[in-house]
Amino acid sequence: MSLDTDWQVIQTAAAGLAPQGLNDPIQAFRVRRIDSTVLVDLSGLRLAPGAGLANLGQLPAWAAPVLPHQYFWVNDSPTSLHASVCAVFVGKTLYWTGQVAEGRIVVNRPESLRGGFEFTTTTAFPRDLLPAPGKPKQKEHRWMP
């Protein structure tokens, strides 16, 4: 039996994200841990216009990567294939760092992100996120992009 936290929603208002409009929901990304594998879904995060690094938010302590500084390829549009580069810094802060456009690295932020990445962790598994004994885990009937 594998240990699974299911998808945990992490709300964020980091400096690199687009400002929240009056009717906009609070921005969020999702994190899931299955045994020692952590999945991060950044789909739907809207970045602030401009150039340079964009802070995306903080990972929970139970999702700290083995390597505290890592880079990952992420989709940034429905038609791109891993055009953006995101990073984990000091094992907890997520950043958008750059984008490949026409074979070059550019620092103009895309409008939003459409993908995610995975890594390995060795932190203790969060027992409080396991379903209660005797209570079946509910299935999420939602299509994930």
Side-chain angles (χ1 to χ4, degrees):
M1 180 177 134
S2 65
L3 299 174
D4 186 349
T5 63
D6 209 356
W7 287 107
Q8 303 298 310
V9 175
I10 311 297
Q11 293 184 336
T12 181
L17 298 176
Q20 183 179 348
L22 292 175
N23 295 322
D24 293 338
I26 295 172
Q27 293 211 62
F29 61 92
R30 301 184 315 159
V31 180
R32 183 177 192 169
R33 180 166 168 183
I34 302 170
D35 293 326
S36 62
T37 301
V38 176
L39 306 170
V40 179
D41 178 16
L42 301 173
S43 296
L45 281 183
R46 298 177 324 278
L47 278 60
L53 287 174
N55 188 336
L56 304 176
Q58 301 285 317
L59 288 170
W62 51 263
V66 171
L67 301 174
H69 308 291
Q70 294 187 58
Y71 291 90
F72 304 94
W73 291 102
V74 177
N75 292 351
D76 56 31
S77 80
T79 59
S80 76
L81 182 60
H82 310 303
S84 275
V85 178
C86 290
V88 175
F89 181 69
V90 192
K92 59 183 171 185
T93 306
L94 298 174
Y95 286 99
W96 177 89
T97 63
Q99 180 183 53
V100 175
E102 298 177 12
R104 296 182 175 173
I105 300 288
V106 295
V107 293
N108 295 325
R109 299 175 189 159
E111 188 175 305
S112 65
L113 297 174
R114 306 276 182 188
F117 52 87
E118 71 177 58
F119 55 82
T120 302
T121 186
T122 56
T123 59
F125 195 89
R127 299 286 178 187
D128 58 318
L129 295 180
L130 289 173
K135 182 178 179 186
K137 189 171 146 182
Q138 291 201 339
K139 288 204 168 225
E140 186 176 320
H141 298 286
R142 179 180 160 228
W143 178 79
M144 184 179 137

